[in-house]
Amino acid sequence: MAKRGHLFIISAPSGAGKSSILSAILKKDPGLRYSISYTTRPPRGKERDGVDYYFISDSAFRKKIDAGELAEWAEVHGHLYGTSARYLEDSLDRGHDILFDIDVEGAKKLYAKYPEAILVFIAPPSMEELKRRLVERGTDSAEAIERRLKNAKAEMAEAKWYHHVIVNDDLAQAVSELKAIIEQVRSQG
Ligand code: 5GP
């Protein structure tokens, strides 16, 4: 039987630069697999179904909850997001390391089920910088930005129970910090 893979759970307030860090690390490290979540949120910008998310309806999502197909799920910014239990278990059984991009509530639930998971929190340099990035991204309405900023404050308070916190001041630096964490975990078996 293959050695079980590792779970790397990454959380960050939106606008902390998590997507850029994750796409960079996934390019650099072919041994890492990305867990594509289900969401009821509509696609944003250039997002593609089956690549960034599986975009599904509210009722399809509820069916997955009832059928026990989600390892965890949470409501974030007014939409539902969840992790495929089968993808997670299959990947781990095959010895693949998986990267999860999930919110703090989902991270807590997954950690309770998989206490061997490694939790990494990505923080923006400051709340002012976070607001600037969200406005610059231009993909959210003013109302959505306000909601994301309010949530960000609550999310930042949760960083304390993560194993690692990376402050994303500089993208290359943040990516190499995450890479070092992953390498360290792998070297321990
Ligand atoms: P966004 O709408 O900006 O793509 O994501 C909003 C939030 O939902 C982010 O904090 C992201 O980490 C979280 N998220 C994405 N997928 C999942 C998931 O499967 N489960 C949970 N709990 N949160 C998720």
Side-chain angles (χ1 to χ4, degrees):
M1 213 174 80
K3 192 167 72 65
R4 292 267 286 178
H6 301 100
L7 297 96
F8 296 99
I9 300 178
I10 320 288
S11 303
S14 53
K18 179 179 51 180
S19 317
S20 315
I21 296 175
L22 295 191
S23 53
I25 195 90
L26 286 163
K27 269 194 204 122
K28 253 183 198 242
D29 187 338
L32 271 182
R33 291 193 155 199
Y34 180 64
S35 166
I36 303 169
S37 299
Y38 291 99
T39 185
T40 61
R41 159 169 89 59
R44 212 168 44 204
K46 289 188 188 142
E47 286 179 336
R48 282 183 296 152
D49 186 48
V51 177
D52 302 285
Y53 282 105
Y54 296 110
F55 296 99
I56 62 174
S57 68
D58 220 76
S59 66
F61 197 99
R62 298 278 172 200
K63 274 191 198 137
K64 287 194 179 296
I65 298 174
D66 293 343
E69 290 176 24
L70 302 178
E72 64 73 36
W73 65 274
E75 185 175 336
V76 192
H77 312 311
H79 298 289
L80 302 172
Y81 295 81
T83 301
S84 161
R86 181 185 292 168
Y87 179 80
L88 193 170
E89 270 303 317
D90 284 355
S91 301
L92 289 182
D93 281 348
R94 292 188 185 136
H96 298 301
D97 294 338
I98 326 174
L99 202 59
F100 299 87
D101 168 355
I102 60 181
D103 84 315
V104 292
E105 199 187 320
K108 230 176 245 180
K109 292 183 199 158
L110 212 52
Y111 189 39
K113 279 192 182 169
Y114 297 90
E116 70 276 25
I118 303 300
L119 296 144
V120 182
F121 192 91
I122 295 172
S126 66
M127 288 306 281
E128 290 71 37
E129 176 62 15
L130 186 65
K131 183 166 188 181
R132 198 190 62 74
R133 289 181 191 174
L134 285 174
V135 171
E136 197 174 75
R137 186 164 81 177
T139 50
D140 293 290
S141 64
E143 189 197 349
I145 289 176
E146 279 316 309
R147 189 164 58 203
R148 282 171 187 272
L149 282 173
K150 206 169 136 231
N151 285 353
K153 281 196 187 125
E155 282 166 347
M156 291 294 289
E158 302 283 332
K160 61 181 178 293
W161 57 267
Y162 279 65
H163 298 115
H164 304 275
V165 178
I166 296 176
V167 177
N168 184 19
D169 236 338
D170 172 77
L171 178 63
Q173 172 69 25
V175 174
S176 70
E177 280 179 42
L178 181 55
K179 183 139 181 60
I181 292 167
I182 293 170
E183 295 303 337
Q184 190 212 357
V185 171
R186 283 177 177 153
S187 73
Q188 289 165 350

